[in-house]
């Protein structure tokens, strides 16, 4: 199916559109207020946001991102399972030949884990206290969109 995604983009490119971001809450963590606030900030900044809801598996998140032709996945992790969850999402994107989808995230993630997350392919990690403006600006600056797209 990942080949179909690449072929679809090559044969039927999406018209110049806004940045499309999947915001997801992987795992068993039931606290999604922060994810919803970030989703709304991105939407209010003109981006298309698909919020997956609570308790999503990495497989569900990656499938949603591919089906929605997302430019990025933002993961919110408060459970302490960030290393496992981010790694699985990155691995699934690789398996599905969808590494053009940028992964970023936030939540309660120890500073000492951030270098390893970056090594595995997580583009950015926002910790507690990150401003919504900084998240929106980072997404605008770092998420590639079709030529001519405006966010």
């Amino acid at each position: 199916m990942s080949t179909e995604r690449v072929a679809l983009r090559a044969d039927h490119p999406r018209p110049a559109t806004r940045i499309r971001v999947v915001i997801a809450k992987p795992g068993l963590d039931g606290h999604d207020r922060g994810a919803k606030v970030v989703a709304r900030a991105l939407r209010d900044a003109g981006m298309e946001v698909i919020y997956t809801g609570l308790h999503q598996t990495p497989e569900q998140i990656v499938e949603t991102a591919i089906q929605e032709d997302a430019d990025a996945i933002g993961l919110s992790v408060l459970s302490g399972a960030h290393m496992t969850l981010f790694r699985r999402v990155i691995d699934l994107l690789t398996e599905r030949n969808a590494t053009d989808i940028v992964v970023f995230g936030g939540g309660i993630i120890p500073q000492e884990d951030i270098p390893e997350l970056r090594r595995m392919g997580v583009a950015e990690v926002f910790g507690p206290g990150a401003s919504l403006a900084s998240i929106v600006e980072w997404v605008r600056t770092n998420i590639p969109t079709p030529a001519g797209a405006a966010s």
Side-chain angles (χ1 to χ4, degrees):
M1 184 177 286
S2 58
T3 306
E4 293 171 351
R5 178 173 190 267
V6 172
L8 179 65
R9 280 192 163 182
D11 297 340
H12 299 86
R14 181 169 41 139
T17 61
R18 301 178 291 169
I19 295 170
R20 294 176 62 100
V21 181
V22 168
I23 298 293
K25 285 293 299 181
L28 299 176
D29 175 17
H31 301 282
D32 66 347
R33 183 174 185 274
K36 287 179 177 177
V37 168
V38 169
R40 183 172 186 134
L42 294 173
R43 187 203 66 198
D44 289 351
M47 298 173 208
E48 291 185 52
V49 178
I50 300 96
Y51 176 64
T52 63
L54 291 168
H55 310 301
Q56 298 293 295
T57 66
E59 291 79 7
Q60 290 170 315
I61 294 164
V62 169
E63 185 62 29
T64 298
I66 290 170
Q67 285 181 1
E68 294 290 340
D69 199 20
D71 301 302
I73 297 172
L75 299 176
S76 172
V77 183
L78 304 174
S79 66
H82 51 277
M83 298 303 281
T84 302
L85 293 168
F86 276 99
R87 184 178 317 278
R88 184 68 180 138
V89 167
I90 296 285
D91 289 348
L92 288 166
L93 289 171
T94 300
E95 289 172 19
R96 301 285 303 270
N97 293 324
T99 55
D100 59 322
I101 299 173
V102 176
V103 177
F104 67 99
I108 307 300
I109 298 172
Q111 285 294 107
E112 59 268 17
D113 290 347
I114 294 174
E116 180 59 25
L117 289 168
R118 288 204 173 119
R119 276 191 289 281
M120 72 173 69
V122 177
E124 186 61 86
V125 178
F126 297 94
S131 73
L132 293 175
S134 69
I135 296 169
V136 167
E137 183 58 30
W138 184 88
V139 171
R140 279 191 176 138
T141 302
N142 294 281
I143 305 303
T145 57
S151 62

